[in-house]
Amino acid sequence: MARVEFKNIVKVYEDEKRGSFTAVKGSSFVIEDREFVVFVGPSGCGKTTSLRMIAGLERQTSGDIRIGERVVNDLHPKDRDIAMVFQDYALYPHMTIAENLSFGLRNLKRPKDEIERKVKEASSILGLGDMLSRKPRELSGGQRQRVAVGRAIVRDPQVFLFDEPLSNLDAKLRIQMRVELAELHKRLGATIVYVTHDQVEAMTLGERIVVMNEGEIQQIASPTELYNKPNNMFVAGFIGSPAMNFIDARIGGGQALLAGGTAFPLPEAAARALGAYEGKPIVLGVRPEHIYGEAMAPDRAGSAKLEAHVQVVEQLGAESLVYFRVGERMVTARVHPELPVALGARQTFVLDAAKLHWFDPQTEQRIVF
Amino acid sequence: MTSKSKIALIAVALAVLIVWAFVTVIPLYWMFIGSFQDSAASAVFKPQMIPEIWSIAPYERFFHKAAAVRWIVNSVIVASVVTVTNVFFASLAGYAFAKLKFPGSKTIFWALLTTMMIPAQVTLIPLYILMINIFQLGDTYTAIVLPAVVSVGNVFLMKQYMSTLPTSLIHAARIDACSEFGIYRKVILPMAKPGLAVLAIFTFVAQWNEFFWPLLVTKSSEMRTIQVGLASFVFAESTDYGAIMAGASVGALPMVILFFSLQRYFLQGITVGAVKG
Amino acid sequence: MRSTTSHAAGSGAARFRQFLRNYGWAYAFIAVPVLLFLVFTLYPVGWAFVISFQKYGILKSTWVGFDNYTYMFKDDVFWKSMRNTVIFTIGTVPVNILISFGLAFLIFQLKQRAQTFFKAVLYLPTVASGVTLSIVWIAIFDPTPSGMLNRLLIQLGLDPVIWLGQKSTALFSLMLMSWLGSHGSGIILYLAAMGGIPKSLYEAADIDHASGWKKFSRITWPLLKPTTLYLLVTGVITSFQVFISVYLMTQGGPDFATTTIAYLIYQTAFNFNQFGLASAQAFVLAAVIVIVSVLQFKFFSTDIEY
């Protein structure tokens, strides 16, 4: 197995009509051997382009890519020792499943018995045994997905590349395949690079997550770190569902003055760190799950309280989502389902003081303390 | 629309279409029915709509007076070769233009395409000089076939068709260590079969019916295609309507049979890559 | 380990090898069509241009400057053939488009099976060759009173006509043959386009109480404009080159009444062996086709997307 390294990778597309477009703006990172790394971001953020450059399907405009110890910049995909699973599975429609699985090995002119053994192995891992003589169109979506993974396993590559492999499955199957992929990673002990636009998929699968936006890497971190310490407002808003609330605020005399008139005293550490913002605008970030109804707030929550008119309540059974306005912004609170809330009523909410995030409104970076 | 006026519309539509279909088909019907009536005695073509006596004498005269078998063989050879070369080269180039990235691809493609507007008459004279006087290829299959090996129109059609195939399969094959020609042969060709079938049928019919170029480059009766041969027969035997109709039937029948057996391809085929290009 | 970034590309030879490896296959794939295009289209076009300024001989050609062009523009037959070609084109292309559209519209009202039947029947003449159709129509236009079309006229109480044999009716006869000929391709293209118009547009029009005519003029016809444009451009190009029927049925006569520009070029080149003059005529034909095509695109092109 192997590590994958990007060094100052830039990818520029030249288009005669629209001019040039920079899909990846100088990204550098290292994916460790046997690591499961997920690239996540909105569409057009450069994540798929990055994956294709690892595969060798696209060539970077500048920079170096290493797989293992080798610089692979000018290597053909077949020489990079990688395998890829595509979003639409890309199974050859005119070949049987067995032929699909063995196509790569046959092209590499491997001995027959080795091909047979590997196809058998992969099909037993994925439970494809009785489908080998069928054509892809006779298979269900989930089965095709397995064949696509099987085709990668058969190659026994140093690095597995997954391009949104679950996005064509229905919700139930997606969760099941997610579990299977995680197990597969443990079993194969392979380096996996996985691209998705779904942050839940990223959080559940990735050992580390690369968050990208507009061609730039926003943060590389473990799921918990991304959740607890997002680098900036983009990551903070992208990771977690419902998304983090952002509230316009000002710092004054050790107090946070929120848009709409509420104020609460800052904890000591925060007051010290935010001293530089005295009198200046600042953005307060708080996740919906860190807002409580006053009646049910845990003791540690502290004294960050605010009052607001409840505008919408969504009962989800295990929890309720309560929407109210603070200043110009709509704020979501994820509260206990038994919290008594009345539409239109003025209600007091408590923000968990230990879980507040502060952002500079100009740079959108998190203020670290 | 109310159902009453809808029914009226359908009735009108059926009436008009039946009349027009009759007008469209009747000349070919006359040709066919006339070819089985011995009208040698009369210099006027006056077939009975439903003949009382069927006769194959016109066919006997046609095959006797003309080298018709040879013409048919020539047409089959020429049309087959042209069909094979067009399917192969047009699909290969169409694939490259649709799916492969290379410098100049758009420029070359547009250069090819814009010249489709140039009428054949412009290139005909130099082509004729080139083939007949310089290459000395007059009266050969090569002369008939060479300029028709692959048409720009077919490359365009194939480009349109190939661009509808999923690119991810090409990427998968590349990762599966398939050579670039291997991708074309093992992945693209099998997937493109319906498109290739349409291309093959249309090319074959067009080449079978081709008249002008074979007329120019063939001199001897033995090298004529069926269309050129028929034309010469009409000039030589202008009074024998029966034999002429027999010849015309012989020239058209293979295509009519092909049409009815592969109707599906004909009726959907021409919409490939036409307007929405 | 040697690092080969794109900045630090090696020698010219290495770069060329890299280029070949990346793009060699693609160029190989398009090689044959491009080569044929160069040899059988581009080169002949250039050569034809040269010949049009020469008196061409197999052994020796002499430069004559613009003589071919000036002779052509003073030649009555050239102008007659231009006039004939334009009349034939204007008389057939729009009419045939209307016929195709009308037939397609009527077929569209029917059930699937009936649609297939009429499509097949109306397409049939398209697979017959120009030679075959010309032969049949020679018989139909037989000038004697017992000719097929004349018998029909006599039954209707009219006098028989010497269809192809007199100046006043010869060109009209060729146009008549075109009208009653094949509309297969046009019908199928129109039907495909009609099938592609979203039903919701008509439903929205129904809600707005739009009349049948309004729906036709505001939805159907405008959305079929790309198809109409395609048929117009290709139809005009084909019609400007009409040859087989003239060659077989009238040989351009009587008294050049049916000599089209394509037939004139054929005669000039291959009956009179005047390759220079024929090339000049061909270039004028090409220029007319290009200009007319561009004008059509300018006046009729649309940006409709649906």
Side-chain angles (χ1 to χ4, degrees):
Chain A
M1 298 298 148
R3 69 206 280 277
V4 176
E5 183 180 355
F6 261 41
K7 209 168 175 185
N8 303 322
I9 292 295
V10 174
K11 176 68 187 177
V12 182
Y13 287 105
E14 298 293 346
D15 189 293
E16 279 160 33
K17 279 188 199 136
R18 276 159 285 175
S20 68
F21 166 73
T22 310
V24 177
K25 301 172 183 167
S27 77
S28 298
F29 57 81
V30 175
I31 296 165
E32 297 299 341
D33 187 18
R34 290 163 188 272
E35 197 176 14
F36 195 134
V37 168
V38 178
F39 280 65
V40 70
S43 66
C45 72
K47 55 189 193 297
T48 297
T49 306
S50 300
L51 193 77
R52 286 182 181 189
M53 287 190 289
I54 301 175
L57 295 171
E58 309 237 14
R59 202 204 185 283
Q60 67 272 24
T61 310
S62 67
D64 287 330
I65 299 175
R66 258 170 218 277
I67 297 177
E69 291 309 310
R70 286 189 303 172
V71 173
V72 297
N73 294 352
D74 294 315
L75 283 186
H76 190 271
K78 70 174 195 286
D79 301 320
R80 294 191 177 202
D81 213 350
I82 49 102
M84 187 155 168
V85 177
F86 292 85
Q87 178 169 14
D88 59 2
Y89 319 136
L91 301 181
Y92 310 115
H94 52 289
M95 297 185 199
T96 65
I97 301 311
E99 286 166 344
N100 264 285
L101 291 174
S102 62
F103 189 59
L105 296 177
R106 281 184 285 142
N107 286 327
L108 291 166
K109 306 253 179 324
R110 295 284 172 74
K112 266 215 169 80
D113 51 331
E114 183 197 330
I115 296 178
E116 223 164 88
R117 196 189 69 232
K118 285 194 163 165
V119 169
K120 219 174 249 173
E121 264 175 34
S123 65
S124 78
I125 291 177
L126 295 163
L128 298 171
D130 49 350
M131 302 169 205
L132 286 177
S133 57
R134 282 193 239 168
K135 293 270 177 72
R137 66 168 173 277
E138 301 167 53
L139 269 52
S140 69
Q143 289 168 329
R144 283 180 213 180
Q145 167 69 60
R146 282 205 183 85
V147 177
V149 175
R151 189 168 62 182
I153 292 177
V154 166
R155 292 289 298 278
D156 197 10
Q158 294 204 15
V159 182
F160 282 88
L161 307 173
F162 286 87
D163 184 11
E164 308 233 9
L166 305 184
S167 58
N168 283 353
L169 299 177
D170 63 49
K172 208 170 164 186
L173 209 52
R174 197 160 14 183
I175 292 168
Q176 186 193 331
M177 283 307 292
R178 223 157 62 192
V179 176
E180 283 187 32
L181 283 179
E183 277 174 5
L184 196 69
H185 174 236
K186 269 184 216 135
R187 178 169 183 169
L188 297 172
T191 310
I192 292 183
V193 186
Y194 188 108
V195 163
T196 179
H197 64 272
D198 178 355
Q199 54 99 10
V200 177
E201 218 170 284
M203 297 291 275
T204 50
L205 282 171
E207 293 170 336
R208 276 198 304 157
I209 296 171
V210 180
V211 184
M212 292 190 73
N213 188 35
E214 293 180 347
E216 284 177 285
I217 294 179
Q218 304 293 318
Q219 190 168 2
I220 307 179
S222 68
T224 41
E225 198 181 339
L226 277 187
Y227 180 81
N228 290 325
K229 294 177 178 171
N231 266 355
N232 54 38
M233 287 175 69
F234 176 81
V235 177
F238 193 79
I239 300 292
S241 174
M244 182 185 280
N245 299 299
F246 295 114
I247 301 170
D248 298 316
R250 262 169 201 288
I251 303 297
Q255 287 218 319
L257 308 152
L258 304 190
T262 325
F264 60 82
L266 290 167
E268 204 178 319
R272 222 178 307 127
L274 300 177
Y277 286 84
E278 182 77 27
K280 288 187 199 156
I282 196 166
V283 175
L284 165 63
V286 56
R287 294 195 183 278
E289 50 271 40
H290 299 142
I291 304 178
Y292 304 94
E294 193 178 26
M296 293 188 155
D299 293 342
R300 62 174 172 81
S303 51
K305 289 183 189 172
L306 58 85
E307 269 186 23
H309 285 289
V310 174
Q311 296 201 326
V312 179
V313 179
E314 290 175 356
Q315 307 275 1
L316 301 180
E319 65 207 25
S320 294
L321 298 182
V322 178
Y323 298 85
F324 52 87
R325 205 176 277 283
V326 176
E328 299 290 301
R329 308 238 203 186
M330 189 65 98
V331 169
T332 313
R334 188 170 165 181
V335 299
H336 197 278
E338 283 159 30
L339 179 78
V341 225
L343 267 187
R346 209 165 166 77
Q347 189 130 0
T348 306
F349 295 92
V350 182
L351 311 183
D352 190 334
K355 307 275 186 181
L356 299 184
H357 306 265
W358 300 94
F359 299 93
D360 184 307
Q362 247 82 58
T363 64
E364 302 205 338
Q365 296 296 305
R366 193 165 74 100
I367 300 158
V368 183
F369 52 86
Chain B
M1 209 182 289
T2 61
S3 64
K4 226 183 211 170
S5 59
K6 177 84 185 163
I7 289 170
L9 179 64
I10 288 177
V12 170
L14 272 176
V16 173
L17 286 170
I18 286 169
V19 170
W20 198 278
F22 185 74
V23 170
T24 304
V25 174
I26 200 92
L28 291 173
Y29 177 77
W30 272 332
M31 169 192 82
F32 188 67
I33 223 73
S35 72
F36 287 102
Q37 296 175 42
D38 201 354
S39 61
S42 140
V44 173
F45 183 54
K46 247 197 314 194
Q48 293 173 289
M49 288 303 280
I50 299 149
E52 287 153 25
I53 308 157
W54 291 77
S55 162
I56 57 163
Y59 285 89
E60 284 171 351
R61 285 203 303 282
F62 174 65
F63 281 101
H64 178 72
K65 287 178 183 168
V69 176
R70 183 61 200 262
W71 296 343
I72 294 169
V73 170
N74 289 344
S75 277
V76 169
I77 291 173
V78 167
S80 302
V81 171
V82 167
T83 301
V84 169
T85 56
N86 265 279
V87 168
F88 178 65
F89 291 119
S91 62
L92 196 58
Y95 162 61
F97 282 122
K99 294 293 186 186
L100 300 181
K101 288 178 190 161
F102 55 95
S105 106
K106 273 187 192 154
T107 317
I108 297 170
F109 184 71
W110 283 106
L112 290 177
L113 212 57
T114 45
T115 54
M116 278 174 73
M117 269 201 290
I118 297 174
Q121 284 77 8
V122 172
T123 55
L124 219 65
I125 291 159
L127 261 185
Y128 179 81
I129 299 169
L130 198 69
M131 286 291 174
I132 306 296
N133 298 343
I134 297 179
F135 293 159
Q136 300 281 336
L137 286 172
D139 246 8
T140 61
Y141 290 133
T142 317
I144 306 177
V145 165
L146 212 50
V149 161
V150 51
S151 83
V152 170
N154 285 345
V155 173
F156 176 70
L157 216 69
M158 279 292 105
K159 189 217 170 203
Q160 297 298 103
Y161 183 76
M162 293 292 181
S163 55
T164 64
L165 302 179
T167 308
S168 64
L169 281 163
I170 298 163
H171 288 162
R174 215 164 271 158
I175 288 173
D176 269 342
C178 206
S179 70
E180 290 299 314
F181 187 74
I183 294 174
Y184 164 77
R185 197 170 62 80
K186 295 179 193 167
V187 178
I188 297 298
L189 273 197
M191 279 199 299
K193 266 184 196 155
L196 299 182
V198 169
L199 184 74
I201 292 165
F202 276 84
T203 309
F204 191 86
V205 173
Q207 188 59 43
W208 180 274
N209 290 340
E210 174 65 37
F211 178 67
F212 200 23
W213 182 247
L215 170 74
L216 291 185
V217 295
T218 54
K219 266 213 173 74
S220 67
S221 173
E222 293 82 63
M223 285 310 294
R224 284 175 192 148
T225 60
I226 182 73
Q227 305 301 334
V228 178
L230 262 180
S232 69
F233 186 75
V234 171
F235 286 130
E237 303 283 340
S238 59
T239 53
D240 189 351
Y241 268 128
I244 288 174
M245 290 305 150
S249 300
V250 166
L253 206 60
M255 296 306 106
V256 172
I257 291 171
L258 200 68
F259 171 68
F260 279 118
S261 44
L262 299 170
Q263 213 190 82
R264 190 164 54 94
Y265 290 103
F266 277 97
L267 297 186
Q268 288 164 4
I270 51 165
T271 56
V272 174
V275 175
K276 288 235 158 170
Chain C
M1 220 22 63
R2 196 168 58 95
S3 158
T4 52
T5 64
S6 52
H7 308 298
S11 63
R15 224 175 318 169
F16 183 66
R17 265 202 305 279
Q18 180 70 32
F19 184 85
L20 269 192
R21 225 196 51 188
N22 286 344
Y23 307 119
W25 281 107
Y27 289 119
F29 287 1
I30 63 165
V32 170
V34 169
L35 204 73
L36 285 176
F37 163 75
L38 292 176
V39 177
F40 293 131
T41 304
L42 207 58
Y43 174 62
V45 167
W47 193 1
F49 190 66
V50 170
I51 292 175
S52 75
F53 294 99
Q54 289 178 333
K55 186 172 164 43
Y56 182 83
I58 294 177
L59 297 175
K60 193 174 174 299
S61 301
T62 43
W63 290 95
V64 295
F66 283 94
D67 280 8
N68 289 326
Y69 289 91
T70 47
Y71 174 82
M72 172 176 59
F73 287 125
K74 281 185 197 153
D75 180 11
D76 282 349
V77 177
F78 171 76
W79 288 112
K80 261 188 194 163
S81 72
M82 267 304 194
R83 202 188 60 120
N84 291 337
T85 309
V86 169
I87 291 175
F88 182 81
T89 301
I90 292 175
T92 58
V93 177
V95 175
N96 285 336
I97 288 177
L98 277 179
I99 293 174
S100 301
F101 177 82
L103 292 173
F105 181 78
L106 293 179
I107 292 175
F108 195 61
Q109 312 303 323
L110 305 178
K111 294 233 165 63
Q112 196 58 48
R113 283 194 131 188
Q115 283 199 13
T116 312
F117 171 78
F118 282 111
K119 271 199 281 188
V121 170
L122 295 176
Y123 192 85
L124 190 60
T126 312
V127 300
S129 70
V131 174
T132 295
L133 292 175
S134 298
I135 288 174
V136 177
W137 281 89
I138 291 172
I140 293 172
F141 285 132
D142 190 297
T144 63
S146 45
M148 309 190 72
L149 206 51
N150 278 343
R151 271 189 293 163
L152 188 71
L153 289 190
I154 290 167
Q155 270 178 12
L156 294 172
L158 299 167
D159 289 334
V161 174
I162 312 170
W163 295 99
L164 297 167
Q166 59 182 12
K167 275 169 74 174
S168 53
T169 52
L171 190 60
F172 171 79
S173 300
L174 294 183
M175 284 158 66
L176 181 67
M177 173 186 163
S178 168
W179 296 333
L180 298 180
S182 171
H183 306 286
S185 315
I187 290 171
I188 285 172
L189 286 174
Y190 269 129
L191 275 172
M194 284 173 186
I197 299 176
K199 274 215 172 65
S200 57
L201 288 179
Y202 292 108
E203 286 161 6
D206 279 336
I207 291 168
D208 294 340
H209 297 291
S211 65
W213 167 251
K214 260 234 163 98
K215 278 190 276 189
F216 175 83
S217 64
R218 293 285 169 82
I219 302 173
T220 314
W221 183 250
L223 287 182
L224 295 180
K225 242 177 141 184
T227 308
T228 307
L229 178 66
Y230 174 83
L231 290 174
L232 190 65
V233 172
T234 55
V236 167
I237 290 178
T238 319
S239 166
F240 265 108
Q241 301 179 57
V242 62
F243 175 78
I244 296 180
S245 52
V246 177
Y247 175 85
L248 280 170
M249 297 167 72
T250 64
Q251 289 87 52
D255 189 21
F256 304 107
T258 57
T259 300
T260 58
I261 182 76
Y263 186 72
L264 177 70
I265 293 168
Y266 168 80
Q267 275 198 315
T268 312
F270 301 104
N271 288 351
F272 308 126
N273 282 316
Q274 291 184 296
F275 283 177
L277 179 59
S279 292
Q281 292 165 341
F283 265 100
V284 172
L285 170 63
V288 171
I289 286 180
V290 169
I291 291 169
V292 170
S293 299
V294 169
L295 286 181
Q296 284 168 341
F297 272 112
K298 257 216 150 103
F299 284 115
F300 296 103
S301 97
T302 65
D303 303 319
I304 293 172
E305 290 271 336
Y306 57 93

